[in-house]
């Protein structure tokens, strides 16, 4: 009789353990076997991140450390928990070993504390994606304004001169902001590691 009780108890314990393990496994979300749509460039506040994001089973997955650093947040990893905090008083930088080092933020330069590689990417992006195209657009607008003024001098009525001048002012503002950002990036590059 005791033998039957032990066998029944063993079977019962085995069933509990096996179903509990399966239930626990269901709570862990794994990307193994999931459909990956592809890698995507992640841009935060107009800045391209060095790490790529991915769409996995119609869900956006972004690199936590790169995203947090771009937003000026602190990333801490403890066991299987990633803690991201943003306090505005310091920024955290990750080195190649995965350790973090705090760097003071400069209130006048939001790029202080960024890694050298991320600053170089930002600089290249700012030049190629903002300054060059806006400068080219500005030159085109200047040509249109010159053409319009030439027509006005010949007595031809021109109605779009004011529009061109507003577009020129808009381009000038964008260029001034981009050049100011570029100056901050260059200053930060002087102290970046």
């Amino acid at each position: 009789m005791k033998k039957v009780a032990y066998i029944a108890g063993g079977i019962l314990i085995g069933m509990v353990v096996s179903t509990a393990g399966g239930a626990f496994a269901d709570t862990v979300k794994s990307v193994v076997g999931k459909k990956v749509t592809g890698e995507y460039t992640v841009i935060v506040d107009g800045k391209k991140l060095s790490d790529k994001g991915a769409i996995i089973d119609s869900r956006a997955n972004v690199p936590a450390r790169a995203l947090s650093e771009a937003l000026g947040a602190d990333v801490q990893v403890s066991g299987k928990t990633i803690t991201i905090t943003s306090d505005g008083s310091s920024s955290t930088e990750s080195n190649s070993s995965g350790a973090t080092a705090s760097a003071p933020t400069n209130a006048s330069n939001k790029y202080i504390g960024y890694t050298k590689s991320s600053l170089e990417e930002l600089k290249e992006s700012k030049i190629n994606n903002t300054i060059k195209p806006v400068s080219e657009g500005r030159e085109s607008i200047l040509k249109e304004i010159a053409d319009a003024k030439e027509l006005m001098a010949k007595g031809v009525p021109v109605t779009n001169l004011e529009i061109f001048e507003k577009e020129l002012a808009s381009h000038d503002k964008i260029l001034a902001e981009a050049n100011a950002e570029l100056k901050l990036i260059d200053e930060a590059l002087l102290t970046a590691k």
Side-chain angles (χ1 to χ4, degrees), residues 128-148:
N128 293 329
N129 298 329
T130 304
I131 294 175
K132 283 184 181 178
V134 173
S135 294
E136 291 169 1
R138 184 181 187 281
E139 292 302 315
S140 175
I141 292 169
L142 283 173
K143 185 180 179 311
E144 293 291 334
I145 289 173
D147 291 346

Side-chain angles (χ1 to χ4, degrees), residues 151-169:
L151 288 172
M152 286 175 58
K154 293 179 181 178
V156 177
V158 176
T159 58
N160 56 359
L161 182 61
E162 189 175 307
I163 294 170
F164 288 140
E165 288 172 342
K166 285 181 181 178
E167 285 182 24
L168 182 63

Side-chain angles (χ1 to χ4, degrees), residues 69-176:
E69 285 179 354
L71 294 171
D74 183 30
V75 180
Q76 299 293 325
V77 179
S78 177
K80 291 189 175 186
T81 302
I82 299 172
T83 305
I84 302 171
T85 55
S86 175
D87 60 6
S89 62
S90 67
S91 65
T92 301
E93 178 179 312
S94 162
N95 63 23
S96 61
S97 67
T100 58
S102 290
T105 57
N106 183 337
S108 64
N109 189 340
K110 63 184 177 184
Y111 298 110
I112 297 293
Y114 281 41
T115 62
K116 186 174 183 176
S117 62
S118 65
L119 288 168
E120 288 169 346
E121 283 186 34
L122 283 170
K123 181 177 180 177
E124 183 181 334
S125 176
K126 187 66 69 178
I127 291 170
N128 293 329
N129 298 329
T130 304
I131 294 175
K132 283 184 181 178
V134 173
S135 294
E136 291 169 1
R138 184 181 187 281
E139 292 302 315
S140 175
I141 292 169
L142 283 173
K143 185 180 179 311
E144 293 291 334
I145 289 173
D147 291 346
K149 287 183 177 180
E150 187 177 310
L151 288 172
M152 286 175 58
K154 293 179 181 178
V156 177
V158 176
T159 58
N160 56 359
L161 182 61
E162 189 175 307
I163 294 170
F164 288 140
E165 288 172 342
K166 285 181 181 178
E167 285 182 24
L168 182 63
S170 173
H171 279 63
D172 287 341
K173 180 181 177 192
I174 293 168
L175 282 173

